[in-house]
């Protein structure tokens, strides 16, 4: 009697239970790693968005002081409830400098995030007091009043500014082409 192998020399079709378990373990390991990467990416995106909001709010508050909406000599603190961001707080510190009407303004904007950390931005800028700037109409009326009050006439025609010399047009340079 002759013993004949069951497979008769051909390759098996299909997978063993051990191969299926190994493939599932690799798949689950990759799935866990991808899920963790997605969590890290979404947390980073949220923090970046919050930092952008913080910078925008700080620039907005600084613009109030630069434009004269808020008095430069006054500091203060508050929240951004009017802008729809009640969780964000601001603090402004001002100090006068040795030059007249020059102020050193620092704006800090911050927010507590989940009680574990704080997102904060600080902007610092030298600002010339907008209230001391005046406007061109004020200086024109002051000049007229001074001229009318003085006994000696001042020349009314301004001296023309020198005109710049015309810039010559560039001369074309011959180019060599490689087409022989």
């Amino acid at each position: 009697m002759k013993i004949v192998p069951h497979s008769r020399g051909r390759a098996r079709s299909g997978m063993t239970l051990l191969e299926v378990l190994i493939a599932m373990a690799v798949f689950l390991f990759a799935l866990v790693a991808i899920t963790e990467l997605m969590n890290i990416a979404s947390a980073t995106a949220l923090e970046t968005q919050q930092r952008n909001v913080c910078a925008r709010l700080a620039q907005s508050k600084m613009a109030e002081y630069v434009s004269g909406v808020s008095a430069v000599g006054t500091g203060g603190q508050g929240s951004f409830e009017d802008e729809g961001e009640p969780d964000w707080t601001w603090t402004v510190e001002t100090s006068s400098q040795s030059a007249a009407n020059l102020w050193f303004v620092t704006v800090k904007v911050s927010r507590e995030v989940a009680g574990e950390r704080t997102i904060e931005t600080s902007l610092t800028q030298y600002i010339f007091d907008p209230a001391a700037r005046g406007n061109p109409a004020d200086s024109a009326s002051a000049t007229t009043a001074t001229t009318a009050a003085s006994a000696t006439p001042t020349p009314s025609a301004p001296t023309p500014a020198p005109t710049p010399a015309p810039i010559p047009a560039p001369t074309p340079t011959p180019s060599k082409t490689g087409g022989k």
Side-chain angles (χ1 to χ4, degrees):
M1 179 161 139
K2 216 175 188 186
I3 300 177
V4 180
H6 183 65
S7 63
R8 296 189 183 187
R10 62 176 196 237
R12 295 179 300 166
S13 62
M15 299 172 61
T16 65
L17 181 60
L18 181 63
E19 292 171 335
V20 170
L21 289 176
I22 291 173
M24 287 198 52
V26 169
F27 173 74
L28 291 176
F29 180 74
L31 186 64
V32 168
I34 289 172
T35 303
E36 187 62 29
L37 285 175
M38 292 296 290
N39 289 339
I40 291 170
S42 65
T44 303
L46 180 63
E47 183 175 344
T48 301
Q49 180 184 19
Q50 290 176 344
R51 289 190 183 276
N52 286 338
V53 168
C54 188
R56 179 183 54 84
L57 292 172
Q59 290 171 348
S60 172
K61 185 54 72 176
M62 181 65 81
E64 288 180 16
Y65 282 87
V66 169
S67 65
V69 171
S70 297
V72 176
T74 62
Q77 60 186 7
S79 67
F80 289 98
E81 290 182 25
D82 296 340
E83 287 85 0
E85 301 286 349
D87 296 335
W88 294 93
T89 59
W90 58 268
T91 303
V92 175
E93 298 171 1
T94 61
S95 62
S96 62
Q97 300 299 304
S98 59
N101 299 318
L102 184 64
W103 292 86
F104 189 72
V105 178
T106 301
V107 175
K108 292 180 183 177
V109 175
S110 62
R111 176 182 183 183
E112 288 286 325
V113 179
E116 60 190 41
R117 60 188 171 87
T118 301
I119 294 179
E120 183 176 276
T121 297
S122 178
L123 292 178
T124 302
Q125 184 173 343
Y126 283 102
I127 296 177
F128 187 72
D129 190 359
R133 282 189 213 147
N135 60 36
D138 290 342
S139 65
S141 64
T143 304
T144 306
T146 305
T147 305
S150 67
T152 58
T154 58
S156 60
T159 57
T163 58
I167 299 173
T171 57
T173 58
S175 63
K176 295 181 180 179
T177 58
K180 284 188 177 183

